[in-house]
Every structure is written in C-alpha cells, then in structure tokens.
C-alpha cells in the first residue's frame, strides 16, 4: 500500500474524540510512536477549531479515533465522518477504544469512507477501561484504577502492532469477522431498544457549586450556567465526561448514582483529566 511513500515527507493527520481520556491516551501513544518513522504526525481533536478541507488535502494518511458507544461512533464523530471530503486513495487508519469489546464499530462507522475514496489500511480495537456504569440495565462497573496498569500495558502493545503494520504498509482490519459483526449488530439493537429506558439524561444535584467545569468541557455545549448551578439541555451524546470528572460529583444519572462508593467515577488512564483540548 503506502509503503512506497517517502516517510520523511509523509504527513499523517489523526482526528480524534475522547470523552474521558482513553482514546486521548491511545492516540497520543500512537502519534508519539509514529513520529519515529514519519516526518509530520499531527493530532487534531474533533472539538478544536480546524480547517478540515486543508488538513485532509495536506495529509498523506488520515487517522480517525473515537470511543465505542454501543457499537457506534459518538455523534460528534459520526458528523465528522459525514463531512470528510472525497479522497483519491488516501490510506485510512483508525482506532477505537472500548471497555470490553468493540465489535465491528470501526468497519460499521467508516465503511462510507470507502465510497469516498479512502483506503482502509489499519483498523484496531483497543480495550482500555469501561467509563460507564448504568444503574438500570447494565451491572457492569467502571474499571477500577488497580486494573488499569495491566490493561494499559496490553493496549500499548496493540499500539505497537498498529505502528508496525502502518510502517510496513500492510493491512490489518479488525472487527470484520462474523463474531465481531454479530456482536456489533446485537449491541446496536439492544441500545436502540433500551436507550430511553436505561438513560433519562443527566441532572445536577445540590452539591453543584457552579464551578463551571462541566460547562467549559462539554464537547457539545449541552450544559449552561444557571441560578441553581447548571442546566443540562437535551443534546447530550453520553460521553460521560461531566459525570466522571465533576469536581464535586454533582452530576447524576439517577438518584442511585449519588452513592459514589457504588457508582464510582472513572478517572481515565492517568487518574485525571488528560484531554488537553478545551472546548470553549
Ligand atoms: C454510551 C456508551 C456506550 C458504550 N458502549 C460500549 C460498548 O458497546 N462496548 C464496550 O466495550 N464499551 C463500551 N463503552 C465504554 C467505552 O467505549 C470505553 O470506556 C471507552 O474507552 C471510552 O473512551 P474515552 O475515554 O476516550 O471516552 C461505552 C461507553 C459509553 C459512554
């Protein structure tokens, strides 16, 4: 494939979204490692301001990274994928992070890009940690910090595998085997059926002191300052950032999540917020 591109003159742009830090951690590792081989590797947060047309035209390889949300890309990334311009045979690399299993999310979300002329080259699923414990429907807890070290070691090996495959110009597409496809179909179906039962939206409680962290960091500007603290609007894409990182644990999914011992908040691979982009 692109093995013939002169690596020193090659520009790779990786567009990414990360709600709670897992994908940010993975793309930072990927970019750091690719930089040893390629002349110009840049990370672009989908939340930042950038000129998509210019960035894509100027790049020899395009990368896309996002978390798995019930075997779908988060809404912000779906919009980004739809808006990508046509290409003539640009290699496409992609990664998704998941709490357990990503299924066919990359293939499902990015297949439209083949029609636009991109060449899928490396699509990898990376398991890091679960950032959501739904009181209703899912008994699955968020991943505890003591489990993360092992997971991150494995995740880094997966990133190494990606880098090796990219530099070799070889092909590696995960999630297209029948089992991955089936898992994806089942997860999307369950999510569609039960979304309105399982999640009624976030609310802020009496612990909110109006610090504005969530207002500043909500990727879709869905939270506004209010006399009572904050007001949460109806365009949430369930990235879990406000809920997990509120300094006062004042954002709730239901009354039950006030019990922060049971419903622990997920603090990402570094135990703190690492997505360095600020949306406002
Ligand atoms: C709405 C939602 C749906 C999710 N669905 C899945 C899923 O289907 N499979 C899975 O393994 N993890 C799932 N997760 C966990 C995330 O994919 C995982 O924690 C991801 O690494 C978070 O990345 P981020 O920190 O970059 O946002 C889901 C998380 C959310 C918030």
């Amino acid at each position: 494939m692109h093995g013939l591109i002169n690596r020193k003159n090659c520009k790779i742009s990786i567009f990414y979204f990360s709600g709670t830090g897992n994908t940010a951690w993975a793309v930072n590792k990927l970019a750091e490692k690719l930089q040893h081989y390629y002349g110009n590797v840049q990370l672009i947060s989908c939340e930042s301001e950038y000129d998509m047309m210019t960035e894509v035209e100027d790049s020899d390889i395009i990368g896309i990274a996002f978390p798995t949300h019930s075997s779908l890309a988060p809404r912000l990334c779906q919009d980004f994928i739809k808006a990508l311009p046509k290409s003539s045979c640009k290699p496409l690399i992609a990664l998704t992070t998941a709490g357990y299993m990503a299924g066919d999310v990359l293939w499902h979300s990015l297949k439209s890009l083949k029609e636009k002329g991109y060449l899928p080259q490396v699509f990898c699923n990376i398991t890091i940690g679960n950032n959501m414990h739904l009181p209703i429907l899912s008994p699955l807890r968020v991943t505890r910090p003591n489990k993360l070290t092992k997971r991150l070691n494995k995740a880094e090996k997966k990133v190494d595998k990606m880098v090796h495959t990219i530099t070799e110009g070889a092909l590696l597409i995960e999630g297209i085997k029948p089992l991955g496809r089936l898992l994806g179909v089942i997860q999307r179906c369950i999510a569609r059926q039960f979304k309105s039962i399982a999640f009624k939206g976030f609310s802020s409680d009496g612990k909110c002191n109006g610090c504005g962290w969530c207002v500043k960091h909500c990727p879709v500007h869905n939270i506004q300052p209010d006399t009572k603290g904050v007001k949460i609007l109806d365009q949430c894409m369930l990235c879990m950032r406000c809920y997990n990182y509120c300094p006062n644990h004042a954002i709730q999914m239901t009354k039950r999540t006030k019990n922060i011992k049971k419903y622990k908040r997920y603090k990402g691979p570094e135990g703190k917020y690492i997505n360095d982009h600020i949306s406002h």
Side-chain angles (χ1 to χ4, degrees):
M1 291 194 90
H2 75 273
L4 297 177
I5 295 176
N6 177 344
R7 288 194 199 144
K8 284 280 166 276
N9 297 332
C10 180
K11 180 171 174 183
I12 306 183
S13 293
I14 306 172
F15 298 87
Y16 76 97
F17 170 72
S18 180
T20 57
N22 289 350
T23 313
W25 179 91
V27 284
N28 272 290
K29 285 274 171 222
L30 179 65
E32 191 187 299
K33 288 169 191 274
L34 285 173
Q35 252 144 20
H36 296 301
Y37 301 93
Y38 294 92
N40 187 352
V41 182
Q42 65 167 349
L43 283 181
I44 303 176
S45 163
C46 289
E47 295 173 69
S48 65
E49 291 203 355
Y50 56 90
D51 179 345
M52 181 199 266
M53 295 297 166
T54 313
E55 297 298 352
V56 172
E57 260 167 38
D58 285 356
S59 304
D60 303 291
I61 301 176
I62 298 299
I64 300 179
F66 51 78
T68 298
H69 281 183
S70 310
S71 288
L72 288 169
R75 197 177 70 231
L76 197 77
C77 305
Q78 292 181 20
D79 293 345
F80 167 83
I81 292 161
K82 265 191 215 136
L84 267 177
K86 286 189 177 160
S87 142
S88 51
C89 302
K90 266 190 220 285
L92 180 67
I93 60 176
L95 74 81
T96 187
T97 64
Y100 302 97
M101 274 183 285
D104 67 345
V105 63
L106 289 173
W107 190 248
H108 178 82
S109 311
L110 302 175
K111 61 179 181 237
S112 63
L113 295 182
K114 264 175 57 170
E115 277 137 47
K116 287 194 190 177
Y118 294 86
L119 294 178
Q121 193 204 342
V122 175
F123 285 7
C124 275
N125 299 339
I126 303 186
T127 303
I128 296 188
N130 180 32
N131 65 355
M132 183 171 76
H133 179 188
L134 268 178
I136 306 164
L137 195 67
S138 172
L140 303 172
R141 293 170 177 239
V142 302
T143 305
R144 299 284 194 266
N146 61 356
K147 290 216 169 136
L148 271 177
T149 318
K150 221 170 156 188
R151 297 245 191 139
L152 292 174
N153 283 337
K154 260 184 139 178
E156 187 155 355
K157 288 200 181 108
K158 195 66 175 283
V159 173
D160 288 339
K161 187 174 173 186
M162 281 186 83
V163 173
H164 179 74
T165 316
I166 295 165
T167 53
E168 291 289 302
L171 199 67
L172 173 65
I173 307 289
E174 292 184 339
I176 49 168
K177 291 199 179 131
L179 197 61
R181 303 301 306 270
L182 184 68
L183 186 76
V185 171
I186 293 172
Q187 285 198 140
R188 283 187 288 277
C189 183
I190 293 175
R192 252 197 320 272
Q193 297 293 324
F194 293 104
K195 196 174 172 200
S196 58
I197 303 170
F199 180 70
K200 307 255 182 235
F202 292 108
S203 60
S204 73
D205 68 13
K207 283 188 284 180
C208 175
N209 65 0
C211 74
W213 195 96
C214 57
V215 176
K216 193 167 157 190
H217 290 86
C218 173
V220 288
H221 314 308
N222 193 48
I223 311 180
Q224 288 178 351
D226 185 34
T227 43
K228 287 186 212 140
V230 294
K231 185 174 162 198
I232 302 180
L233 310 176
D234 58 2
Q235 291 300 310
C236 175
M237 63 166 191
L238 211 50
C239 76
M240 304 305 289
R241 191 183 289 167
C242 62
Y243 173 81
N244 283 312
Y245 287 101
C246 168
N248 299 308
H249 303 128
I251 309 265
Q252 308 302 342
M253 282 198 268
T254 69
K255 277 187 189 154
R256 289 199 231 169
T257 60
K258 288 182 181 205
N259 178 351
I260 56 169
K261 278 208 175 118
K262 181 162 183 202
Y263 292 96
K264 291 218 179 343
R265 297 337 193 221
Y266 181 71
K267 300 291 179 197
E270 296 188 7
K272 59 178 196 246
Y273 186 68
I274 55 160
N275 202 0
D276 47 17
H277 174 74
I278 288 180
S279 54
H280 292 252

